[in-house]
Amino acid sequence: MPDGDTTRQGRTLRSARALREAGLIPPAAEAAAARVAERYAISVTPHVARLIDPADPADPIARQYIPDAAELATAPHEVDDPTADGPFTPVKGVVHRYPDRALLKPLLACPVYCRFCFRREVVGPDGGLLTEAELDAALAWFEATPAVKEAVLTGGDPLMLSPRRLGAILARLAAAAHIETLRIHTRVPVADPGRIDAAMAAALDQDKPVFLAVHANHAREFTAEAQDALARLARAGVPLLGQTVLLRGVNDSPEALEALFRAMIRARVKPYYLHALDPAPGTARFAVPDEDGLALLRALRGRVPGHAIPDFVRERPQGGGKRPVGQA
Ligand SMILES: *Cc1c(COP(=O)(O)O)cnc(C)c1O
Ligand code: SF4
């Protein structure tokens, strides 16, 4: 069990019934949400629940986390493993697609479950925690693969681990002479910022640089608590990057993207990637056409500082890796 059922200020909502009791879905929507929950996990932390305006049917926070009956329909172009991690897995929990860097997925639990997640077929509260032996084998793979200069921890969400366990993984990777940098991809600073306490910041303060890529899609996710958590990490010497998924009805306007990227740089986060949606099952309602995405980025040029503009990328099918949108 990931040490994650965190409740610093209330209960994490994990079912259709809990969402209805909290007033986040109307009673008429509960049955469909329960059917979605049989297939895809639900989790709304108290921090995120407080951000949702239940009176706004188009609330951009709710849209990211509240299940919708549309998830039960898989469009013809949608696939279970859109980034094709499977064929690039040399040992359980590792994905090695580029020679110089590889992913480590120590667990598949997240603080929240995003309705557009590209790994939605595998993430969940009780899925994918590597056993001690599996984790040891994955770390041994990194130690025995000198071409890998960067270890990228993802999942699931690595910050769902306790600071002690995460710190031990980072320290072992950092001790390998050929590993130069470490990176963690996480939603915790904006989804459950209370987890970023002094012990967590200390766990990220290693002898080698630990970059942290924060997944955030809307300016309102940068609450005072989230900003405090990010400031704590910045003071621990952790360089902060931002990654965003371009999502219809969440951030697909110049105003929304400008507000988001400005909120990031105010929080010391450099916008790194804007991802085109990966075609995971039941996510079609979030799709934005590439031409519209390219036009949005053009609209940002000259409107925000250059360092507030991320690269717009998409995963190529069959595991071809990331490519700038608009290039073959
Ligand atoms: C996305 C990804 C990375 C990281 O790519 P960057 O462009 O360096 O952020 C590394 N390995 C795999 C398998 C990936 O999918
Ligand atoms: S936090 Fe990331 S891995 Fe977890 S559900 Fe959201 S998109 Fe998927």
Side-chain angles (χ1 to χ4, degrees):
M1 177 67 201
D3 10 7
D5 206 356
T6 184
T7 54
R8 275 165 189 82
Q9 294 153 334
R11 193 165 62 94
T12 294
L13 308 172
R14 296 188 179 278
S15 67
R17 183 171 159 198
L19 292 176
R20 194 252 306 150
E21 287 172 354
L24 296 182
I25 56 173
E30 183 179 338
R35 278 203 307 284
V36 173
E38 287 169 16
R39 182 151 174 204
Y40 302 115
I42 293 173
S43 176
V44 177
T45 57
H47 182 79
V48 167
R50 281 196 301 279
L51 274 180
I52 294 175
D53 175 4
D56 177 2
D59 183 87
I61 310 298
R63 191 164 163 83
Q64 296 183 61
Y65 303 116
I66 303 297
D68 188 289
E71 292 172 51
L72 296 168
T74 299
H77 69 288
E78 292 174 342
V79 290
D80 281 5
D81 180 15
T83 62
D85 287 356
F88 296 89
T89 297
V91 46
K92 187 170 176 188
V94 174
V95 185
H96 189 209
R97 195 183 334 265
Y98 304 106
D100 69 311
R101 67 213 112 122
L103 307 183
L104 172 63
K105 299 188 276 192
L107 80 175
L108 292 171
C110 301
V112 282
Y113 293 103
C114 310
R115 308 327 297 171
F116 50 85
C117 175
F118 68 113
R119 293 205 179 105
R120 62 191 330 227
E121 296 294 331
V122 293
V123 297
D126 45 28
L129 181 65
L130 295 184
T131 65
E132 284 303 320
E134 288 167 342
L135 180 61
D136 184 62
L139 292 170
W141 180 88
F142 276 89
E143 288 165 340
T145 310
V148 170
K149 297 187 184 343
E150 183 173 58
V152 183
L153 274 65
T154 178
D157 196 315
L159 293 197
M160 295 297 278
L161 296 168
S162 68
R164 186 183 54 77
R165 297 186 67 186
L166 179 61
I169 293 172
L170 293 172
R172 184 161 159 194
L173 290 166
H178 56 277
I179 294 183
E180 299 174 354
T181 55
L182 305 162
R183 200 198 314 173
I184 299 174
H185 283 252
T186 179
R187 201 108 156 89
V188 164
V190 296
D192 194 4
R195 289 186 75 82
I196 314 282
D197 56 11
M200 189 65 87
L204 301 192
D205 184 0
Q206 298 284 336
D207 290 340
K208 291 188 179 162
V210 179
F211 287 70
L212 194 105
V214 186
H215 170 188
N217 305 317
H218 195 274
R220 266 168 49 208
E221 293 177 293
F222 289 85
T223 61
E225 295 94 325
Q227 293 184 55
D228 287 349
L230 291 163
R232 190 189 279 276
L233 293 172
R235 291 190 184 105
V238 177
L240 301 172
L241 303 170
Q243 58 169 358
T244 296
V245 185
L246 182 60
L247 298 167
R248 183 149 67 91
V250 174
N251 56 23
D252 61 335
S253 70
E255 295 74 24
L257 285 181
E258 173 176 351
L260 170 62
F261 298 141
R262 286 195 189 279
M264 281 191 182
I265 63 173
R266 282 199 303 275
R268 303 173 168 82
V269 174
K270 155 74 186 119
Y272 172 46
Y273 278 151
L274 177 66
H275 295 274
L277 183 75
D278 293 315
T283 61
R285 71 190 185 284
F286 293 109
V288 177
D290 282 356
E291 314 79 75
D292 294 3
L294 290 165
L296 285 167
L297 282 165
R298 279 195 302 273
L300 287 178
R301 280 280 158 215
R303 186 164 166 159
V304 299
H307 68 89
I309 301 182
D311 283 337
F312 184 30
V313 297
R314 88 154 54 255
E315 293 284 346
R316 291 191 303 178
Q318 282 95 44
K322 295 172 192 62
R323 274 290 177 281
V325 173
Q327 292 179 23

